[in-house]
Amino acid sequence: MTEQLQKITQKHCESPPAKYNDLSALFLNCTLNRTPVLSHTEGLIQVAQNIFEKNGVKTQIIRPVDYEIPAGLGLDMSQTPEWDKDDWPKIQKEIDACDILIICTSVWLGEKSSVCNRTLERMYGYTHQFNPKGQYRDYGKVGATLITGNEDGVKHCAMNILFSLSHIGYTVPPQADAGWMGEAGPGPSYRDAGSGGPENDFTNRNTTFLVWNCLHLARMLKDQGGIPAYGNQPDEWEAGCKAGFDSPEHKR
């Protein structure tokens, strides 16, 4: 992080427009490396984590690759004939408890990691459940993404991840993606000596903007009790409350 950015960040953290110490942020680091192997993506995560924590936000980093996560869309795949063990419910419990979820991944062959894809698939498997207001369960949560690699693909991966989060109910703030790409090909990765990653002003700026936009949006949603439960409740639709929609039959 540049000295100029450190000063700006420190100033903002000393005089924020609101209090955020009742919020929590969860980073799902979808690296292919199991703990304790070095994760370059975690280096960028720590930039965001530092700003969150300076504002009293409780943070947690989970590497899904450390867990046994079967393929499938069931709530607990160990209850199916195909799998004997499923750690996903443990991770889902942490997802349910957070206000801000940041999906983080490295780029391989221009795509998000296989671990990231499975993470989103397992989250999708829970979307038939509703929250206490009768909305899909993830309404009222904020979603964002951080991405690293040494080949092209940040915007492509961000586009896919942020759409996925929005589609299952997350609210995505402006500038909800940030990333770092090193030299194309077999060049240095983010945390390698001389990579320039931690000093990259563009990446640091976007990461800082991402954190603050997540904080602002999470604060607004929490203070307002989430997304209003009107016009977005599946059971109400099935019961005939169409919230202003005129069906074709009514126009005949």
Side-chain angles (χ1 to χ4, degrees):
M1 186 180 291
T2 65
E3 183 178 348
Q4 179 186 19
L5 184 60
Q6 284 180 326
K7 290 180 179 179
I8 293 173
T9 299
Q10 186 63 35
K11 181 180 178 181
H12 283 180
C13 290
E14 290 173 352
S15 55
K19 297 291 185 182
Y20 308 102
N21 55 8
D22 60 335
L23 299 177
S24 61
L26 173 63
F27 298 89
L28 293 183
N29 179 7
C30 297
T31 175
L32 300 181
N33 295 327
R34 303 191 78 178
T35 303
V37 178
L38 174 73
S39 164
H40 293 281
T41 302
E42 200 147 308
L44 183 55
I45 289 172
Q46 288 169 354
V47 175
Q49 184 182 34
N50 181 51
I51 302 172
F52 276 125
E53 291 186 348
K54 282 184 177 179
N55 286 278
V57 177
K58 180 182 176 182
T59 69
Q60 182 182 11
I61 301 172
I62 292 177
R63 294 192 192 187
V65 74
D66 289 341
Y67 298 81
E68 187 165 334
I69 304 174
L73 296 176
L75 301 182
D76 183 348
M77 294 303 296
S78 69
Q79 302 302 308
T80 69
E82 297 96 329
W83 301 91
D84 295 326
K85 184 180 180 182
D86 185 4
D87 288 332
W88 180 258
K90 300 176 185 176
I91 298 177
Q92 186 65 48
K93 183 179 179 180
E94 300 301 324
I95 293 173
D96 292 342
C98 76
D99 301 292
I100 301 167
L101 177 68
I102 303 180
I103 303 288
C104 313
T105 185
S106 47
V107 177
W108 300 105
L109 297 172
E111 293 283 354
K112 61 189 183 300
S113 73
S114 56
V115 175
C116 185
N117 208 55
R118 182 158 298 187
T119 293
L120 289 168
E121 287 172 352
R122 293 304 306 269
M123 290 175 63
Y124 187 57
Y126 281 68
T127 55
H128 64 282
Q129 296 184 332
F130 302 148
N131 67 19
K133 296 160 68 174
Q135 303 162 312
Y136 290 115
R137 71 197 315 276
D138 293 315
Y139 272 50
K141 291 182 178 292
V142 173
T145 185
L146 290 171
I147 300 165
T148 65
N150 60 0
E151 54 184 277
D152 194 15
V154 168
K155 288 182 171 62
H156 172 75
C157 294
M159 176 177 63
N160 183 279
I161 292 168
L162 294 178
F163 165 77
S164 299
L165 289 173
S166 174
H167 184 72
I168 65 176
Y170 281 79
T171 304
V172 176
Q175 190 59 62
D177 64 289
W180 181 84
M181 288 288 103
E183 182 179 354
S189 295
Y190 182 83
R191 301 178 84 169
D192 287 339
S195 72
E199 297 78 35
N200 187 280
D201 189 68
F202 182 77
T203 295
N204 288 329
R205 184 201 71 179
N206 285 356
T207 302
T208 301
F209 285 11
L210 177 152
V211 171
W212 282 102
N213 288 337
C214 284
L215 286 173
H216 297 321
L217 186 56
R219 177 77 281 148
M220 289 187 285
L221 287 171
K222 193 149 193 168
D223 289 349
Q224 295 299 318
I227 302 291
Y230 182 83
N232 54 27
Q233 298 161 294
D235 284 347
E236 293 287 331
W237 178 273
E238 293 298 327
C241 180
K242 305 298 184 181
F245 170 73
D246 291 327
S247 66
E249 307 88 74
H250 294 161
K251 296 180 180 180
R252 291 175 184 171

